[in-house]
């Protein structure tokens, strides 16, 4: 896409408040910048005041399709303005969009926006306080499409980098779901994020016990093998090393499961 001028950005922002057709066109264009590596245009849109009207479109009186596109657009902008997006009140309505009978696309986009916002340390706390953890855990379940599971696991992975959230995520029942998602029926992207969440959760000693008891070690050993993608190997190996450091029992179980000899000295 060609570079956006400030004038064009402001025009797009105005369209968000106009009739349904104009608003839909503007949302489609803004959301399309998410995956295009279009960093400059996203920065121009943010500077042009797009964030506040997008947050307003998340509210419950907006049609579900509009809420979904607004969440998708905010997910793309969160790399640049996570603190501002949170400051104008995006987090509570994004949390309200999770579950509650919404479409799979709406759940995916809301979880994606929360995932990107949760890269910010303060937002990790705010998102958890807004009640995001239980519905994100529910979206890990087998009734969710793989893309929804992937985004929910991604959001939980970023949230789990906070010690209090590690406890809350485990208390919400995430660990059995995450272990299930390590299985061969899950796509690589889902497995990678699930292993990433377990890596962070295992930093808590009580969680490490629960993760091992839930049967995570065998699939993590399998995913840490050389036939897995590099990122998968890294996350699975990180989870195993963290589990191994937590107890001698886990170290013995990991060794017995056939973990690479290169991992064992790091535990």
């Amino acid at each position: 896409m060609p570079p956006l001028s400030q004038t064009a950005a402001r025009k797009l922002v105005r369209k968000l408040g106009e009739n349904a057709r104009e608003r839909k066109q503007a949302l489609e264009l803004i959301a399309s910048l998410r995956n295009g590596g279009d960093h400059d245009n996203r920065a121009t849109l943010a500077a042009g005041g797009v964030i506040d009207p997008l947050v307003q479109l998340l509210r419950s009186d907006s049609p579900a399709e509009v809420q979904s596109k607004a969440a998708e657009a905010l997910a793309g902008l969160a790399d640049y303005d996570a603190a501002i997006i949170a400051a104008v009140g995006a987090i509570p309505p994004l949390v309200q969009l999770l579950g509650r009978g919404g479409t799979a696309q709406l759940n995916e986009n809301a979880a994606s926006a929360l995932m990107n916002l949760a890269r910010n340390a303060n937002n990790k706390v705010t998102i958890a306080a807004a009640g995001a953890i239980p519905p994100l855990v529910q979206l890990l379940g087998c009734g969710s499409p793989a893309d929804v599971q992937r985004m929910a696991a991604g959001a939980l992975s970023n949230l789990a980098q906070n010690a209090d959230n590690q406890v809350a995520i485990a208390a919400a029942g995430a660990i059995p779901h995450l272990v299930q998602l390590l299985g061969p029926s899950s796509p690589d992207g889902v497995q990678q994020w699930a292993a990433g969440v377990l890596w962070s959760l295992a930093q808590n000693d009580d969680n490490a016990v629960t993760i091992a008891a839930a049967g995570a070690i065998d699939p993590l050993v399998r995913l840490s093998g050389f036939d897995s993608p590099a990122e998968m190997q890294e996350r699975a190996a990180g989870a195993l090393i963290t589990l191994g450091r937590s107890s001698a029992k886990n170290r013995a179980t990991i060794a017995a499961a056939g973990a690479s000899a290169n991992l064992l000295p790091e535990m």
Side-chain angles (χ1 to χ4, degrees):
M1 179 179 175
L4 275 177
S5 66
Q6 284 289 349
T7 300
R10 287 193 291 269
K11 184 177 179 181
L12 273 176
V13 172
R14 286 196 299 273
K15 284 187 174 184
L16 292 175
E18 295 180 1
N19 62 64
R21 185 175 68 85
E22 295 285 340
R23 183 175 60 222
K24 181 178 180 181
Q25 290 176 349
L27 281 170
E28 291 282 357
L29 180 57
I30 295 166
S32 73
L33 301 176
R34 175 182 176 188
N35 297 317
D38 220 333
H39 306 305
D40 291 341
N41 282 344
R42 281 183 276 180
T44 301
L45 280 168
V50 76
I51 292 173
D52 190 66
L54 286 173
V55 172
Q56 293 304 316
L57 291 174
L58 297 174
R59 307 297 176 183
S60 59
D61 56 347
S62 296
E65 182 182 5
V66 171
Q67 293 173 322
S68 182
K69 279 296 178 185
E72 184 180 6
L74 288 167
L77 292 167
D79 288 341
Y80 304 91
D81 293 283
I84 295 172
I85 291 170
V88 299
I91 290 172
L94 284 169
V95 173
Q96 289 295 314
L97 295 179
L98 297 173
R100 305 177 191 279
T103 65
Q105 192 65 62
L106 180 59
N107 282 319
E108 179 184 344
N109 288 337
S112 176
L114 291 169
M115 175 179 71
N116 290 345
L117 289 171
R119 292 173 178 153
N120 175 286
N122 291 331
N123 288 350
K124 295 182 202 302
V125 177
T126 306
I127 291 168
I133 289 174
L136 285 170
V137 170
Q138 290 178 3
L139 292 176
L140 297 175
C142 60
S144 295
D147 284 340
V148 174
Q149 293 173 325
R150 178 169 57 88
M151 290 303 175
L156 290 168
S157 182
N158 288 340
L159 290 170
Q161 293 166 25
N162 172 284
D164 290 337
N165 289 348
Q166 291 166 8
V167 176
I169 291 167
I175 290 172
H177 289 301
L178 292 165
V179 174
Q180 183 71 27
L181 293 177
L182 297 176
S185 62
S186 296
D188 286 354
V190 175
Q191 292 173 325
Q192 286 179 21
W193 280 115
V197 185
L198 291 170
W199 185 0
S200 293
L201 292 181
Q203 295 171 19
N204 175 287
D205 287 343
D206 290 337
N207 287 349
V209 173
T210 305
I211 291 167
I217 289 175
D218 281 342
L220 285 170
V221 168
R222 175 177 55 81
L223 294 174
S224 69
F226 292 117
D227 55 344
S228 292
E231 191 169 1
M232 179 90 76
Q233 292 180 38
E234 178 186 4
R235 295 183 186 188
L240 288 168
I241 290 168
T242 305
L243 287 168
R245 288 174 177 171
S246 72
S247 75
K249 180 180 179 181
N250 282 351
R251 287 193 293 277
T253 304
I254 292 166
S260 167
N262 294 329
L263 291 181
L264 301 178
E266 298 189 49
M267 298 178 188

